[in-house]
Structures are given as structure tokens and as C-alpha cells.
Amino acid sequence: MGRPPRAAIVGAGHTRFGALPEGPRRLVRDAVDQAVASVDRGVDRESIQELFLSTLGFSGWQLGNAASIAAEEAGRPGLPAVRVENACASGGFALRLAVDAVASGRQDLVLVVGLEKMTDVPHPRRRYWLGVSGDTEWERLAGLTFAGVYGLMAARYAAEYGPVREALSEVAVKNHAHGVLNPNAHFQKAVTREQVSAGPPVAAPLGLYDCCPVSDGAAALLVARPDVARRFTDSPVYIVGSGAGSDHLAVQERSSLTRIDASRAAAEEAFRGAPFDRKRVDLLEVHDCFTIAELLALEDLGFSPRGGAGKLTLSGATRLGGRLPVNPDGGLKAKGHPIGATGVSQAYEVFLQLRGQAGARQVGDAQRALTHNVGGSGATAAVHLFSGG
Ligand code: COA
């Protein structure tokens, strides 16, 4: 049977992802307005009791206390509000705190907002933000970027398990194909394996099409206590598992370059006592910041044996229509990766999928899903499990 649900998503909103003209305040406002409008039985903003804002840099001009700005834009100045920062996993951790807020009984209804505005931040500052989200002493100051770290992981993976280029390319081809079906995606353009493999080099063996882009965007979730969820909607999406993990910040301290142990720990915790096991999961939203990351995720989360994720991917199992669709919204690769918005956006996709509202990218009659959100090169990770109402 497993434990009862810990929380329920009753509304969700999402802006487009991409190089957008809107400023960060506007992106927050649009995502929250959509989330409020999506609550089918209606919600009074006055009943929102707390706000969790996930952002790395809030556009670079408001590094401190940005949560209060999000409360203003949500139409609730004065709301208890906190900014959550765990690099690219900020959204997953903000959701985890929201789950705890309602599961503990402290609140009935809370708001999670994920935001990043990256494209108009000057390059050196953006590089600095991303750089200080990895290890500063041994990596950033030596010139290693995130693409560089994941390039090392891909090279090591190939050394341990054999050629991986085709599988990496297939991850990009699949996620771009899914992105074509998502009107909010940064890239809505299909690519071929040949184009991906011949893409301009970024950090060997990774090229342009192995990388997520730099994106702007926001997403928002209304998270309720399960026993009050039906006040807001007949079809809540329940959160039935929440797990988190961390690891050494510097990759040189980790036990392996071909595993992200924080992901493994987060999945173990999420599945402990959950009402279903891995075999019953209908779709995954995993953190594919670089194509190699999707292969590692399938293995770290326990959906593939070690070294087997390439074969699984090349079999077509992870495509829409396959046995286990992965990243039906296009993933970070094609949907885009506005850092603080990503973990919230993954839950938004699951909210649509488990209510049968994902349109052209709907995964059949999906009932159970998993989201996986990684901080930087794997120093932090959060995993959530969801089931439809
Ligand atoms: N995938 C596919 N195409 C991409 C792309 C990507 N990731 N990034 C940019 N492009 C395309 C652009 O659309 C543009 O196409 P166009 O000429 O047809 O308009 C072209 O490539 C050049 O875009 P530009 O923005 O000048 O690219 P860039 O060289 O400045 O940046 C990367 C490319 C890969 C370096 C950049 O996207 C990047 O740094 N990504 C990783 C971000 C990151 O590390 N996030 C944290 C993860 S842990």
C-alpha cells in the first residue's frame, strides 16, 4: 500500500522558455497568474499561506531577499516567503520544502515559484554565477565549466562502457523531437543524429547539441495539504514520495565520474515507503543538462543497469510512444534550462501529464511519474514521485 500522499498539486503555471523580452518580475507574475487561473474550482490568493522562490540569481540585479519581490508579484505582499538556492536543483528543493510545509500540517496551501532570467545578464556575470555553482577552488579557478565537467563524465563513461556517441546523439534527437510538441519549449526544432554528432565542439566529447541552452522563464505550483486538495480541484496530482541527496562539490572528491550518487540517494529516499515501485512508473522527467546526464540519470535512478542506458535509449524505449517516455516536454536540452525554474517546470509537466492535459505530447493514460533535478555537476539532487488523483 505505501504511505498516504504527502501533498497535492492543485494548480500550475508556466511561461514560455527561451530568450524572452519580459523581465523577471513579469515572468513571476505570468507564471503565478496562470497557476491561479488553472485551479478549476477557483482559489482566493488570500488563502495562499507561504511562498518558496527558487532562483539562482534573480536576473543578477537582486541577489538578496528576492522572495519578497515574488510575493509582491504574486499579489500577496507580506506573505511569509523564502528564496531556495541549490543551483540547478533549486526548484526540486523548493518543492520539497513546500511538501514539508503542508505534510507537517503547518500550512494548507503554499506557492512554489521557479524563475531565472539569464539571457540579458552580461556573459561574464552569467559565467560567474554558473561557475560558483560548481567547485570554485579546484574547478572554476582552473577554467573548468559545467560543459567541461560533463565532458569528462562522458569521456569516462565511454572508457568504462564503450562508444557512447550514438546514444548521446539519440538523447538530443529525442528531446528535440519532444520539444517540437511543446509550445513553451526554447527549441521547437527537430535535429538529426548526424547534425548532433557534427555539431560545433563545446567540451569534448560534447558538442553544441549535447548542451542545454541558456534560457529565461518561470513556472509556478500551488501545493495543498492532501485532505483539502479537493476543495480546489477534482483532479489533484498527489506527491507520494520526496527524496534528496548531496555529494562532494568537487568532482575529484567523488567516488566515480560515471555515477551521480546524490541522485541515487534521492531516488532511494523517494521510493522508500512509496505506493509504487520503479516498474509502475509511466514517465520520467530527468535532469538532462547535457546528453550524458540523461544516461547517468536512467542508471542512478534505477531504471537501467550500469552501462545500459545507451542501449535502452537507442532501443526507442525512452521516446514518446516507447515503454518509458523520458522528458516528454523536451527536457532541459530542448525545453530549455532557466536554472531556478527547471525543477518547478518538471513538476508542471507531470501535473499536465497525470491529468491527461499534455496535448500532442500526452503519455497515454499516465498515472505515475518521477521528477529528478540535479544541482550543478551533481553536488545536490532532489527526486519526487507523483500519482494522479
Ligand atoms: N542546443 C542547440 N542549439 C543551440 C544551443 C543548444 N544548447 N545553444 C545555442 N544554440 C544555437 C542558437 O539557437 C543559435 O542558433 P542560430 O544561429 O540559428 O540562431 C546558435 O546556436 C548560436 O547561439 P549562441 O547563443 O551564440 O550560442 P553560444 O555559443 O553562446 O552558447 C552554449 C552555446 C552551448 C555554450 C550555451 O548554450 C551553454 O553554455 N549551455 C550550457 C548552459 C549551462 O551550463 N547550464 C548549466 C548546466 S549544469
Side-chain angles (χ1 to χ4, degrees):
M1 260 305 286
R3 61 171 172 251
R6 307 197 62 217
I9 305 181
V10 297
H14 202 287
T15 68
R16 261 208 71 165
F17 280 5
L20 306 176
E22 293 88 354
R25 280 181 177 268
R26 175 66 193 271
L27 290 172
V28 167
R29 198 182 331 141
D30 287 352
V32 174
D33 286 352
Q34 266 195 45
V36 168
S38 76
V39 178
D40 36 51
R41 292 187 175 199
V43 63
D44 178 356
R45 285 175 200 245
E46 292 304 312
S47 58
I48 301 171
Q49 294 165 309
E50 193 162 346
L51 181 149
F52 300 89
L53 172 69
S54 154
T55 188
L56 182 61
F58 204 93
S59 199
W61 54 261
Q62 187 62 59
L63 291 176
N65 261 338
S68 63
I69 299 182
E72 277 172 34
E73 296 304 327
R76 284 299 312 282
L79 198 64
V82 65
R83 170 184 166 208
V84 181
E85 190 283 297
N86 255 359
C88 312
S90 302
F93 279 85
L95 178 59
R96 183 169 160 86
L97 292 178
V99 168
D100 287 344
V102 296
S104 66
R106 187 174 86 239
Q107 308 292 20
D108 289 348
L109 182 68
V110 302
L111 178 62
V112 182
V113 181
L115 163 81
E116 220 65 67
K117 177 74 191 168
M118 302 175 78
T119 61
D120 61 358
V121 176
H123 271 247
R125 187 183 300 188
R126 197 162 75 205
R127 227 181 6 252
Y128 175 75
W129 278 6
L130 292 174
V132 295
S133 299
D135 177 76
T136 291
E137 195 178 4
W138 296 98
E139 293 173 11
R140 185 173 71 84
L141 294 179
L144 194 58
T145 60
F146 277 132
V149 175
Y150 280 93
L152 291 173
M153 290 175 173
R156 186 65 215 164
Y157 190 92
E160 286 182 22
Y161 301 116
V164 73
R165 181 63 262 168
E166 252 204 297
L168 296 180
S169 298
E170 178 54 25
V171 169
V173 169
K174 168 183 73 72
N175 289 346
H176 272 264
H178 293 175
V180 170
L181 306 175
N182 182 356
N184 283 329
H186 188 147
F187 295 125
Q188 297 173 35
K189 185 179 77 172
V191 295
T192 62
R193 267 195 219 171
E194 294 66 36
Q195 264 174 297
V196 176
S197 306
V202 173
L206 304 180
L208 179 68
Y209 293 98
D210 291 299
C211 305
C212 64
V214 168
S215 319
D216 307 324
L221 305 168
L222 283 160
V223 178
R225 242 180 43 213
D227 56 315
V228 303
R230 284 186 188 272
R231 265 191 229 155
F232 302 105
T233 174
D234 287 332
S235 39
V237 166
Y238 292 106
I239 299 178
V240 296
S242 173
S246 75
D247 201 348
H248 296 284
L249 183 57
V251 286
Q252 62 167 6
E253 303 285 352
R254 302 200 194 145
S255 53
S256 166
L257 271 179
T258 56
R259 289 197 320 254
I260 291 185
D261 283 338
S263 298
R264 207 172 44 148
E268 288 303 315
E269 185 191 348
F271 275 110
R272 213 173 294 135
F276 52 83
D277 62 13
R278 288 168 176 78
K279 288 197 193 72
R280 297 185 63 215
V281 173
D282 297 315
L283 72 112
L284 306 178
E285 276 286 306
V286 307
H287 196 96
D288 60 324
C289 49
F290 298 92
T291 48
I292 182 66
E294 181 163 315
L295 300 187
L296 299 184
L298 288 169
E299 298 176 12
D300 294 329
L301 299 171
F303 290 89
S304 161
R306 292 279 163 211
K311 195 170 156 204
L312 184 71
T313 301
L314 289 167
S315 78
T318 58
R319 275 183 169 257
L320 272 170
R323 175 168 62 75
L324 180 65
V326 177
N327 292 332
D329 58 0
L332 285 60
K333 170 72 269 277
K335 183 184 59 178
H337 182 27
I339 309 289
T342 286
V344 183
S345 162
Q346 293 175 323
Y348 170 86
E349 177 67 9
V350 163
F351 181 72
L352 295 188
Q353 290 283 352
L354 300 191
R355 289 161 49 113
Q357 296 172 336
R361 61 182 193 280
Q362 179 65 42
V363 177
D365 179 30
Q367 295 295 319
R368 290 164 293 274
L370 175 152
T371 60
H372 161 249
N373 192 201
V374 172
S377 61
T380 49
V383 168
H384 286 92
L385 301 178
F386 304 80
S387 71

